[in-house]
Amino acid sequence: MEKMLKVKVFVDRMSQPSRAVLIFYKVNGIEFDEIKVEISKRQQLSPKFTAINPFRKLPTIVDGRFKLFESHAILIYLASAFPSITDHWL
């Protein structure tokens, strides 16, 4: 049996959009791996992060080979992708 990979969530907790995405994950019981990217240290400008998100913005998620950035798009994706999430989030 193949193990499901957790969604990687790149965030800086000082960022309100990042906090909104983290809260959504936690409230809905979605497992994820939080990867901290410190905006104050300009880590979002690193070549490693730019390869993940060419816009260099947070939050960003990586779900397998699928990458998504922009908090509203991430929240819509999560509300649609996980059947356990109730429709009122949409």
Side-chain angles (χ1 to χ4, degrees), residues 4 8 10 13 22 24 26-30 33 36-38 47 54-55 59-60 70 74 76 80 82 87:
M4 296 260 318
K8 292 180 182 179
F10 297 82
R13 290 184 176 220
L22 287 174
F24 190 89
K26 290 180 181 198
V27 165
N28 288 290
I30 302 169
D33 286 328
K36 294 178 181 170
V37 179
E38 292 185 55
F55 296 112
T60 295
E70 205 284 312
I74 292 169
I76 291 169
S80 303
F82 291 88
D87 290 341

Side-chain angles (χ1 to χ4, degrees), residues 37-39 41-51 53-57:
V37 179
E38 292 185 55
I39 295 171
K41 294 182 180 178
R42 302 174 59 87
Q43 292 177 340
Q44 79 280 14
L45 304 177
S46 72
K48 184 177 178 181
F49 187 74
T50 301
N53 180 346
F55 296 112
R56 301 180 238 171
K57 302 286 184 183

Side-chain angles (χ1 to χ4, degrees), residues 50-79:
T50 301
I52 296 166
N53 180 346
F55 296 112
R56 301 180 238 171
K57 302 286 184 183
L58 295 173
T60 295
I61 67 167
V62 176
D63 189 1
R65 292 174 50 190
F66 178 69
K67 299 172 187 174
L68 188 60
F69 15 93
E70 205 284 312
S71 60
H72 292 106
I74 292 169
L75 294 171
I76 291 169
Y77 168 75
L78 293 174

